[in-house]
């Protein structure tokens, strides 16, 4: 089945990255030289998605500007003949009308953010991409779409038992094949004792239109927020709910540690940085600590 649209919830306050995110969207934090949100958009585009719907909030206009022309910059680079740099400054542009923005007026949770985009989604399944979850390789949503038939599909991975309370956690059922597990239940941010497993949801989803109807009526759940997890959970039994056990490396760029790790991983793969970074890490970090 072809999925044409992806929702990018980018309305969050980014409090874990203060003071950096006081006046700058956390989704604009760079991994090496590219903002997190651009990686997520590229992953979606790589999967054939061509309509990108951002759920923004106050103070997020830098994201809109990023996916637009910057005439002064582009003219300047053009006049100086800096063609390669110009290409880099334009690589995120898409054909007009590809990006849509809708405001989430209050930070009422991920489910609420997704619901804010309801009028932009027809009677069709849609992808949801959380830019905080950075996937090295950028094929996960593509693989999910290739394996999707109907209902809801969530990217899942094993995490340490002590970390389950940061995630939506699934109760796994039958293995459909090596990569796909049936989901029998779903809990948002359970305590370690109450977690049904240590298999956590990562920010890649394909949801069916019925989830929007559930979100319409959804009560607040964990953290007193309207949770996407709860809405998807309430569809179990009425439609398929599958976990996709992706194999690519994922970085939790909503945490400082994950963000630094992602920067190191992505830098070390850059030919122009690789050797110097490796020797510096070995010399200054590994041997001195
Ligand atoms: C959100 C979801 C959670 C999921 C997580 C993945 O939580 O609510 O179910 O496991 O993303 O990153 P958040 O990180 O926004 O608190």
């Amino acid at each position: 089945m072809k999925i044409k649209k992806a929702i990018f919830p980018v309305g969050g306050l980014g409090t874990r990255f203060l003071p950096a995110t006081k006046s700058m969207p956390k989704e604009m934090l760079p991994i090496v030289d590219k903002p997190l949100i651009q990686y997520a958009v590229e992953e979606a585009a790589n999967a054939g998605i061509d309509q990108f719907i951002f759920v923004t909030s106050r103070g997020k206009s830098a994201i809109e500007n990023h996916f637009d022309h910057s005439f002064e910059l582009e003219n300047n680079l053009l006049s100086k003949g800096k063609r390669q740099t110009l290409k880099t400054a334009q690589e995120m542009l898409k054909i007009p009308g590809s990006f849509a923005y809708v405001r989430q007026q209050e930070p009422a949770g991920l489910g609420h953010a997704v619901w804010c985009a309801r009028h932009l989604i027809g009677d069709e399944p849609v992808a949801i991409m959380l830019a905080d979850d950075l996937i090295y390789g950028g094929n996960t949503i593509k693989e999910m779409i290739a394996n999707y038939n109907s209902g809801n599909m969530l990217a899942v991975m094993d995490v340490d038992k002590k970390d389950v309370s940061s995630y939506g956690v699934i109760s796994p059922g039958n293995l459909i094949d090596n990569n796909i597990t049936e989901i029998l239940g779903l809990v948002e941010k359970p305590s370690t004792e109450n977690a049904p497993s240590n298999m956590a949801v990562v920010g890649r989803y394909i949801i069916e239109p019925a989830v929007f109807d559930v979100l319409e009526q959804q009560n607040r759940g964990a953290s007193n927020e309207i949770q996407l997890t709860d809405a998807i959970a309430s569809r179990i039994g009425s439609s398929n709910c599958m976990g996709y056990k992706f194999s690519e490396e994922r970085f939790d760029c909503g945490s400082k540690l994950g963000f630094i790790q992602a920067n190191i991983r992505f830098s070390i793969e850059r030919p122009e940085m690789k050797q110097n970074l490796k020797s510096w890490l070995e010399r200054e970090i590994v041997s001195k600590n």
Side-chain angles (χ1 to χ4, degrees), residues 16 110 130 132-133 166-169 188-189 200-203 205 227 229 250 252:
R16 283 197 280 174
L110 179 59
L130 307 188
D132 277 2
D133 282 321
S166 304
Y167 295 94
V169 178
E188 180 68 9
K189 307 214 165 76
V201 176
V202 167
Y205 308 75
Q227 295 294 348
T229 301
R250 168 260 184 183
D252 174 13

Side-chain angles (χ1 to χ4, degrees), residues 16 109-111 130 132 161-170 186-197 199-201 205 221-230 250 252:
R16 283 197 280 174
L110 179 59
L130 307 188
D132 277 2
K161 196 86 190 168
K162 66 174 176 27
D163 295 329
V164 285
S165 62
S166 304
Y167 295 94
V169 178
I170 72 165
L186 199 53
V187 197
E188 180 68 9
K189 307 214 165 76
S191 62
T192 316
E193 307 77 58
N194 293 330
S197 75
M199 207 175 277
V201 176
Y205 308 75
S223 318
N224 198 29
E225 293 180 340
I226 297 170
Q227 295 294 348
L228 180 62
T229 301
D230 295 344
R250 168 260 184 183
D252 174 13

Side-chain angles (χ1 to χ4, degrees), residues 143 147 153-158 170 172-182 199 242-248:
E143 293 167 11
N147 283 286
M153 180 178 268
L154 288 61
V156 294
M157 68 181 275
D158 288 325
I170 72 165
N174 291 329
L175 269 186
I176 306 298
D177 71 26
N178 278 343
N179 298 330
I180 299 176
T181 176
E182 202 184 349
M199 207 175 277
M242 299 293 163
Y244 182 71
K245 301 205 266 177
F246 61 102
S247 56
E248 292 180 304

Side-chain angles (χ1 to χ4, degrees), residues 17-251:
F17 273 93
L18 283 169
T21 50
K22 187 176 173 200
S23 63
M24 177 184 125
K26 66 171 175 169
E27 297 79 12
M28 289 302 291
L29 289 170
I31 302 300
V32 193
D33 49 13
K34 197 189 285 185
L36 278 168
I37 189 65
Q38 192 180 333
Y39 287 99
V41 166
E42 285 176 0
E43 185 183 329
N46 179 39
I49 286 165
D50 57 11
Q51 297 176 49
F52 309 88
I53 298 160
F54 295 80
V55 182
T56 69
S57 62
R58 289 175 291 282
K60 299 281 181 163
S61 54
I63 296 177
E64 296 180 43
N65 293 335
H66 184 70
F67 292 100
D68 199 352
H69 282 289
S70 168
F71 285 113
E72 190 182 2
L73 172 68
E74 290 170 47
N75 285 343
N76 183 287
L77 294 172
L78 192 62
S79 68
K80 290 184 175 149
K82 295 190 171 174
R83 298 206 164 269
Q84 197 49 46
T85 315
L86 179 63
K87 219 174 134 214
T88 311
Q90 293 176 328
E91 69 186 8
M92 70 295 290
L93 298 173
K94 307 256 178 246
I95 58 164
S98 304
F99 296 103
Y101 300 88
V102 60
R103 283 268 184 125
Q104 184 185 20
Q105 292 146 321
E106 49 170 328
L110 179 59
H112 180 258
V114 168
W115 175 75
C116 287
R118 67 198 178 283
H119 295 307
L120 300 175
I121 310 296
D123 191 25
E124 61 198 313
V126 60
I128 298 171
M129 319 264 306
L130 307 188
D132 277 2
D133 282 321
L134 177 60
I135 308 273
Y136 186 71
N139 284 308
T140 294
I141 198 71
K142 184 180 185 175
E143 293 167 11
M144 288 172 68
I145 292 172
N147 283 286
Y148 176 80
N149 293 314
S150 67
N152 297 297
M153 180 178 268
L154 288 61
V156 294
M157 68 181 275
D158 288 325
V159 296
D160 282 348
K161 196 86 190 168
K162 66 174 176 27
D163 295 329
V164 285
S165 62
S166 304
Y167 295 94
V169 178
I170 72 165
S171 168
N174 291 329
L175 269 186
I176 306 298
D177 71 26
N178 278 343
N179 298 330
I180 299 176
T181 176
E182 202 184 349
I183 296 178
L184 302 178
L186 199 53
V187 197
E188 180 68 9
K189 307 214 165 76
S191 62
T192 316
E193 307 77 58
N194 293 330
S197 75
N198 65 335
M199 207 175 277
V201 176
V202 167
R204 300 289 180 275
Y205 308 75
I206 302 172
I207 60 163
E208 57 177 343
V211 172
F212 289 94
D213 302 332
V214 179
L215 284 170
E216 186 88 31
Q217 313 288 337
Q218 187 69 52
N219 291 326
R220 287 177 186 252
S223 318
N224 198 29
E225 293 180 340
I226 297 170
Q227 295 294 348
L228 180 62
T229 301
D230 295 344
I232 295 173
S234 73
R235 294 289 306 155
I236 295 173
S238 306
S239 60
N240 283 332
C241 193
M242 299 293 163
Y244 182 71
K245 301 205 266 177
F246 61 102
S247 56
E248 292 180 304
E249 198 175 359
R250 168 260 184 183
F251 294 90

